[in-house]
Amino acid sequence: MNKKTKSQPKKKRGRSGETSSVKLYLISTAKSFVLFLILFAAAAFICYKADLSRENYFIIALAVCAVSSFLSGAFMSVKLKEKGIICGFLGALPLTAVTVISSLIAGGEVSAPLIAATCVAMMFLGTAGGLTAANMRR
């Protein structure tokens, strides 16, 4: 009964051996922040070179937030290989928090409905990015 068969390699368990979903989440979040900063730097450069008025800054910033939120949800869904809705939502959450906090710190003419609309849009687009990436996997 004790036949020696080819044993499958044992999966390493514990903190050092497994790639935890927290680690993957942090890696995806870091990639999203880098992309977010690159897109904002490019948008700032375009605004500077094009000599746009201050009224256009908010629209451009919202577009950058939307694109980075969508891509953040997609990164998270691809990396974690889980359900797209949850991964997309969790992927957009840190970017949304940073956007809201920076808007509140900057002050200016920021209203509560505008912040709420930005939050909803970013979370929706993050979820859409997660769903898109999950459907592309299949």
Side-chain angles (χ1 to χ4, degrees), residues 58 65 96-110 115 118:
F58 176 73
C65 289
T96 305
V98 166
T99 303
V100 168
I101 291 169
S102 63
S103 297
L104 292 174
I105 290 172
E109 300 174 10
V110 180
I115 290 175
T118 303

Side-chain angles (χ1 to χ4, degrees), residues 38-85:
I38 290 171
L39 287 175
F40 256 112
F45 181 75
I46 290 170
C47 288
Y48 176 72
K49 286 294 183 183
D51 198 28
L52 296 174
S53 64
R54 286 186 71 94
E55 291 83 31
N56 295 330
Y57 289 169
F58 176 73
I59 296 168
I60 292 171
L62 190 60
V64 167
C65 289
V67 168
S68 60
S69 183
F70 181 86
L71 292 175
S72 175
F75 286 159
M76 192 69 63
S77 182
V78 166
K79 204 66 161 161
L80 290 177
K81 297 177 183 168
E82 293 288 329
K83 295 181 180 179
I85 292 176

